[in-house]
Structures are given as C-alpha cells and as structure tokens.
C-alpha cells in the first residue's frame, strides 16, 4: 500500500494541527480541528481536499473549526460517542474500528483528561494520534477523570508496539522535560533527550512526533513502575496508579 502522508503544523498558541492524506484516493483527515486558517493554509499548500475530521475530545482548542470546515468541505466528522462534539456524523467508542482509505482505524478509549477522550490508532501504519492523553514527556491534565483512570488509559497506549509513531496535541515538551528530570534525575536516556529537545526548540523545530518506545524509556508518566523513580519519591510500596497520581500532582504544582 502507498504510505499515508502527514502534514504537521502549528495552530493557536501551542496546539498541533495534523493532516493525514492518502495519495491514492485523495482521502484527507484532520486530526482535531484546533483552528480554521492554519488547517486551510496547510490544505492549500499541499493541494489536498479535506474529507474527514477525527475528533479526540470536546475541548474548544480541538473542535473550534469543526463547523466551519464542515461547511466549506462537507467533511465527515468522526468522534467520541461519550462527548458532545459540534457537527459529529459518526460516534465511535473504545474497541470500535472504522475504515480510512482502505485502512483500519482503531478507537482507543482513554478517559482522564476528559471523560470520553479517544485516541486513533492505525495498526498497519504504526501510527497513533494521542491528542491530550499522552504528550512527549507528559500527559494531559486530569480535568474530568481520576488518576487511576488516566493511568489505565496510559497503560493501554504503552501496550502498543514500541515503534508506533505518536502524534500529540500540544507543544509542551520543553516544560514537560524540565519537570521530568525532577522526578527521574538519574535516567541517562531522559537527560540526553532533554538536551535534544532544548536544541530542537532553540531552532524553532517541533518535538512531534515521538514513539511509544521513546516515551516508555523517558516519560515519567509511563514509568510509575520504575524502581529508581519509586525510590526517588519514597513510594517503593505504592501501587503504580498511586505513583502516577503523585507524579501528576507534582506536575500540577510545578
Ligand atoms: Zn484538551
Ligand atoms: Fe488541548
């Protein structure tokens, strides 16, 4: 199969816009719709016509352009069954799968940031769109879920193949990196990644995408089981979900 093409561009102050395009059928999906103009500019630059929006959750910085883009392109909006999404055509839930340009897209339910947040996984292309559940070196704030729910959601993502390429919702990586080293100071892989992120950001480059393997090695929010982190937090006997909750609470105060 001809590989899908991806276009990544900034939206709003720190959101990512992502377009997914099949050169054979012309099918083009926007992962969320944070802002109309940069999405239309990216489509024009590429010469692509929008056919779908895959919505991950109801926050305004992910759905603001849904209706405008639907008006303009007549797109099909596929989004979470458990949330209210402007212009939604097809509601999907965890375990569902749908077709995009002849490829299966699996829906993973990841409550925590919002109660009905979903991620989109294309197993054949080893691609995951994690939006505000998993960031590079971070995870979403718990607006509508408990730490235990978010930990369970992150465990589902961590179980995907390590080579899975992960696109995420926000360029928060530099501040995530500065926090990550405070809970995992002896992690050499993290230290070298922080240096890499600092030079990427200094050059104005994006830190997306990442991979599941890289996050498992360096993202403290996926490393609640790690003995060194537990020792550092003096939580050797706690459950993974409790360690995760402590890391999340420290990040909220950071
Ligand atoms: Zn959000
Ligand atoms: Fe967001």
């Amino acid at each position: 199969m001809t590989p899908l093409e991806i276009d990544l561009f900034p939206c709003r102050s720190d959101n990512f816009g992502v377009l997914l395009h099949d050169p054979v059928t012309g099918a083009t999906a926007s992962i969320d719709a944070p802002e109309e103009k940069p999405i239309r500019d990216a489509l024009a630059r590429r010469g692509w016509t929008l056919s779908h929006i895959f919505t991950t959750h109801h926050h305004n910085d992910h759905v603001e352009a849904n209706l405008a883009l639907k008006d303009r392109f007549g797109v099909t909006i596929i989004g979470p069954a458990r949330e209210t999404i402007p212009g939604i055509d097809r509601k999907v839930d965890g375990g569902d799968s749908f077709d995009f340009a002849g490829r299966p897209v699996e829906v993973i339910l990841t409550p925590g940031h919002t109660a009905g947040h979903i991620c989109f996984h294309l197993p054949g292309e080893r691609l995951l769109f994690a939006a505000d559940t998993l960031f590079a070196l971070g995870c979403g704030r718990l607006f509508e879920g408990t730490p235990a729910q978010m930990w369970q959601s992150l465990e589902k993502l961590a179980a995907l193949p390590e080579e899975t390429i992960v696109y995420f919702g926000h360029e928060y990586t530099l501040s995530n990196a500065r926090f990550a080293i405070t809970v995992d100071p002896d992690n050499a892989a993290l230290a070298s990644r922080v240096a890499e992120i600092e030079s990427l950001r200094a050059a104005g480059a994006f830190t997306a995408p990442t991979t599941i393997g890289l996050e498992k090695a360096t993202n403290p929010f996926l490393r609640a089981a790690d003995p060194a982190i537990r020792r550092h937090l003096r939580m050797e006997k706690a459950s993974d979900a409790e360690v995760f909750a402590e890391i999340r609470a420290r990040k909220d105060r950071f």
Side-chain angles (χ1 to χ4, degrees), residues 2-254:
T2 316
L4 297 175
E5 294 172 19
I6 292 179
D7 197 274
L8 178 71
F9 50 95
C11 286
R12 310 175 75 94
S13 56
D14 51 33
N15 283 75
F16 284 118
V18 188
L19 295 175
L20 184 63
H21 174 77
D22 175 35
V24 175
T25 62
T28 304
S30 180
I31 314 305
D32 287 326
E35 190 181 8
E36 184 186 4
K37 180 160 185 339
I39 295 171
R40 287 184 51 184
D41 288 349
L43 289 164
R45 176 163 47 73
R46 291 289 202 143
W48 298 346
T49 303
L50 197 65
S51 57
H52 295 77
I53 297 172
F54 298 165
T55 300
T56 61
H57 67 293
H58 69 83
H59 284 161
N60 184 59
D61 64 310
H62 297 258
V63 301
E64 189 190 78
N66 274 21
L67 295 180
L69 292 171
K70 189 167 184 168
D71 239 33
R72 157 90 28 183
F73 297 101
V75 299
T76 299
I77 301 179
I78 301 174
R82 299 168 194 236
E83 299 194 350
T84 303
I85 303 298
I88 193 164
D89 297 291
R90 177 154 178 202
K91 297 177 177 187
V92 291
D93 205 356
D96 288 348
S97 163
F98 62 90
D99 177 275
F100 175 72
R103 292 142 170 103
V105 180
E106 296 174 352
V107 178
I108 304 174
L109 181 65
T110 57
H113 177 68
T114 61
H117 191 295
I118 57 175
C119 298
F120 296 96
H121 179 224
L122 283 77
E125 354 297 304
R126 297 268 197 252
L127 263 177
L128 175 72
F129 298 99
D132 289 2
T133 295
L134 177 67
F135 298 128
L137 295 182
C139 75
R141 263 180 192 269
L142 304 182
F143 289 114
E144 298 175 11
T146 64
Q149 276 176 324
M150 186 60 141
W151 173 248
Q152 211 177 38
S153 296
L154 291 171
E155 279 192 301
K156 291 184 197 171
L157 303 185
L160 298 175
E162 303 231 323
E163 62 272 27
T164 304
I165 293 166
V166 184
Y167 286 86
F168 47 90
H170 292 268
E171 180 59 77
Y172 292 154
T173 312
L174 189 56
S175 67
N176 288 342
R178 289 182 175 146
F179 170 73
I181 51 177
T182 68
V183 293
D184 198 6
D186 301 322
N187 182 339
L190 174 60
S192 74
R193 189 173 181 202
V194 171
E196 194 182 306
I197 286 160
E198 280 168 347
S199 60
L200 277 174
R201 293 307 294 150
F206 302 137
T207 61
T210 180
T211 65
I212 290 294
L214 184 57
E215 293 312 311
K216 282 165 78 174
T218 56
N219 184 333
F221 295 98
L222 295 183
R223 295 169 55 74
D226 180 72
I229 291 182
R230 289 167 157 264
R231 248 189 331 271
H232 183 77
L233 299 177
R234 298 202 170 83
M235 294 184 77
E236 283 100 331
K237 298 213 169 77
S239 69
D240 291 348
E242 286 165 345
V243 175
F244 168 78
E246 172 62 20
I247 297 171
R248 186 60 255 179
R250 287 180 182 224
K251 176 67 163 67
D252 291 343
R253 297 190 299 262
F254 184 69

